[in-house]
Amino acid sequence: SRTREPRGGARGTRRLYIVQKHAASRLHYDFRLELDGTLKSWAVPKGPGVQPGAKRLAVHVEDHPVEYGSFEGIIPEGEYGGGTVMLWDRGTWEAIGDARAAYRAGRLKFRLHGERLKGIWNLVRMSGAAGEKGKNWLLIKDRDEASSRQETTEKKTTSVASGRSMDAIRRGRPRVRRSKGGEEHRA
Ligand code: MN
């Protein structure tokens, strides 16, 4: 197979990491890790727990294109995932061990270099009924130096990309950004 990286991924390879806060029919946080040119995705209803050893249910959902990782805005009602999407965290992740093998085995250990979430985390697949491989995983904060210093997920209520609240995104309040020429324009 043709891949851009060495088989198994080089040690220390940094890949895109994203969390999108998503007010759909139910509020959840979409936790996304780039692997093999796509975003592996888990919906975390309660959001990542940052305290040492915190465990949160993470439901594996379909892969998303890497380009979607920069999306913030409104998905129209009636479409899949209709609702408001906020870029809640972004950065890179680094597998501890072989990323592909660990993902396939349902036991990923990795370091996050996010703007908000840092340190070592685990994603562990739970066995389903009759030992089947289920969609339910656990997102577990490792007991490391980064865990106790972080504020809880609930206290971070604005976008890392635009500074907007969910309500401001929902109401379509434009972010103000500067283009290369320096002039401000509404995006
Ligand atoms: Mn979602």
Side-chain angles (χ1 to χ4, degrees):
S1 65
R2 282 175 293 156
T3 55
R4 268 173 260 139
E5 293 164 14
R7 188 172 166 77
R11 183 177 286 266
T13 298
R14 291 199 183 191
R15 302 171 168 94
L16 182 66
Y17 145 74
I18 288 291
V19 177
Q20 283 157 320
K21 187 174 180 179
H22 187 185
S25 49
R26 278 189 180 179
L27 182 72
H28 59 274
Y29 293 74
D30 287 303
F31 190 95
R32 308 191 196 277
L33 300 177
E34 180 189 1
L35 188 64
D36 288 336
T38 191
L39 292 174
K40 299 296 177 191
S41 299
W42 292 260
V44 183
K46 292 186 175 175
V50 298
Q51 298 305 315
K55 291 188 174 89
R56 295 290 167 84
L57 175 67
V59 181
H60 204 310
V61 295
E62 70 282 7
D63 296 349
H64 278 57
V66 171
E67 302 77 59
Y68 185 73
S70 57
F71 177 75
E72 175 173 282
I74 300 163
I75 301 173
E77 296 301 328
E79 287 187 20
Y80 177 77
T84 307
V85 177
M86 170 195 283
L87 268 169
W88 187 83
D89 197 15
R90 61 185 172 188
T92 60
W93 73 284
E94 237 182 314
I96 297 171
D98 183 306
R100 287 176 198 132
Y103 172 74
R104 277 197 304 271
R107 189 168 272 276
L108 263 176
K109 186 168 191 169
F110 52 98
R111 183 178 288 278
L112 288 182
H113 307 274
E115 293 183 33
R116 287 180 174 158
L117 300 186
K118 301 175 193 304
I120 299 173
W121 297 71
N122 301 273
L123 271 165
V124 180
R125 185 170 55 213
M126 295 192 276
S127 40
E132 291 170 22
K133 289 177 180 176
K135 291 192 168 199
N136 289 349
W137 294 52
L138 288 173
L139 176 63
I140 306 169
K141 182 70 199 74
D142 222 83
R143 299 174 186 277
D144 67 356
E145 74 290 344
S147 53
S148 54
R149 292 200 308 268
Q150 300 185 60
E151 288 189 67
T152 59
T153 299
E154 298 74 27
K155 284 190 176 169
K156 305 282 192 182
T157 59
T158 56
S159 163
V160 291
S162 67
R164 294 180 297 177
S165 65
M166 288 298 274
D167 194 49
I169 297 168
R170 185 181 56 76
R171 286 185 284 112
R173 286 259 307 260
R175 70 181 95 180
V176 176
R177 68 177 187 187
R178 289 177 187 279
S179 67
K180 277 185 178 169
E183 72 272 28
E184 286 192 346
H185 63 96
R186 300 198 175 269

